[in-house]
Amino acid sequence: MTAPAWSALATSMAVIVALSIALLQHRAQQRALANAQRERASLIAIMDVDGNSVAIKNLGQAPFFRLRVQQVEASLNEEDVVDGVPEKYVVGMASAWASPHDRPVVPPGETVQFNLHWADYFDGTPISPEESERMGSPAVTFGYTDAAGTRWERLGHNRPHAVGGEPLPGALGIRRRLKIRWRRAHWHWRKLQRRYLKWKKEVERRRDERLGRPT
């Protein structure tokens, strides 16, 4: 292989290595951004919940938007004594809708209280005061949008998970740069192929001349 061919090969390999490193850096940066944004999204949390209401507070330094209680469920229990031991078992389910429907903006440090209105999970009949006393602890799922435009859902005190909205900041720019680098690497590789084919054709021509073969 001639010196120009070796040079082209070295250039292509360097571009491919640089592209691989950039891709690894991109993935690491995306993970760091996602983790940091998830930590910030965890700063809005349920502070208190009972059969009548749920209080959600913004513990962060940035506002949250479109806070909404999406789902509230609780078991309906009964107690019985079996062999002298009290036991509790589930006899039904209840679900609740919250008022207000949502809160457009939750500034830092503010607590929003939603009132709960209970009904039977299966037939929708209102839950009586006697039945509400037999309800288990409510499981609350709420949704909200952070300052970056990402929509989140959170069940109780579990970690929130993103469900839509805007991508992480900087993601589109990084992807565009990677795409440009990939096109450059592909261009260098095609250039190397053309040089190799040209060099191979020249070697075959010289060999044919030495052997006296017609070209």
Side-chain angles (χ1 to χ4, degrees):
M1 187 178 294
T2 61
W6 280 114
S7 176
L9 177 60
T11 302
S12 298
M13 292 302 297
V15 171
I16 292 173
V17 170
L19 180 64
S20 300
I21 294 174
L23 181 60
L24 292 175
Q25 292 176 340
H26 165 68
R27 290 176 177 174
Q29 184 178 12
Q30 287 296 93
R31 285 194 296 268
L33 286 171
N35 290 335
Q37 191 174 13
R38 186 174 287 107
E39 290 298 324
R40 291 192 296 270
S42 301
L43 294 176
I44 184 167
I46 295 175
M47 305 303 295
D48 185 43
V49 59
D50 56 28
N52 299 314
S53 64
V54 54
I56 302 176
K57 184 175 183 178
N58 181 359
L59 302 170
Q61 300 298 318
F64 288 95
F65 305 92
R66 294 173 55 206
L67 173 63
R68 177 180 300 176
V69 174
Q70 298 180 172
Q71 187 178 52
V72 186
E73 295 180 347
S75 61
L76 296 174
N77 307 316
E78 286 189 2
E79 292 187 359
D80 198 0
V81 178
V82 180
D83 297 330
V85 179
E87 292 187 359
K88 183 181 294 185
Y89 54 94
V90 177
V91 296
M93 292 291 296
S95 62
W97 59 273
S99 62
H101 180 66
D102 62 12
R103 175 63 67 88
V105 182
V106 185
E110 182 170 314
T111 300
V112 182
Q113 180 167 307
F114 294 88
N115 297 318
L116 301 179
H117 309 273
W118 291 94
D120 186 272
Y121 181 86
F122 299 101
D123 59 22
T125 57
I127 296 296
S128 66
E130 294 78 11
E131 289 176 315
S132 64
E133 294 178 357
R134 297 188 285 108
M135 284 195 309
S137 299
V140 180
T141 300
F142 59 103
Y144 51 95
T145 302
D146 65 14
T150 302
R151 186 70 182 171
W152 299 87
E153 282 187 0
R154 191 174 189 183
L155 170 60
H157 296 288
N158 295 340
R159 295 188 67 184
H161 62 277
V163 294
E166 296 296 326
L168 290 172
L172 293 179
I174 293 172
R175 290 174 183 171
R176 180 174 178 82
R177 289 195 296 271
L178 286 174
K179 189 174 182 180
I180 292 173
R181 291 184 181 182
W182 171 254
R183 287 179 177 175
R184 288 176 179 173
H186 182 69
W187 180 82
H188 280 287
W189 178 251
R190 293 296 300 272
K191 185 177 180 180
L192 173 63
Q193 285 183 320
R194 288 193 297 268
R195 287 189 177 184
Y196 172 74
L197 292 175
K198 183 178 180 180
W199 169 81
K200 183 179 179 182
K201 186 176 180 180
E202 179 65 18
V203 170
E204 291 176 349
R205 185 186 66 79
R206 293 181 180 180
R207 182 191 60 190
D208 291 340
E209 286 180 354
R210 289 196 308 269
L211 297 177
R213 295 176 181 173
T215 58

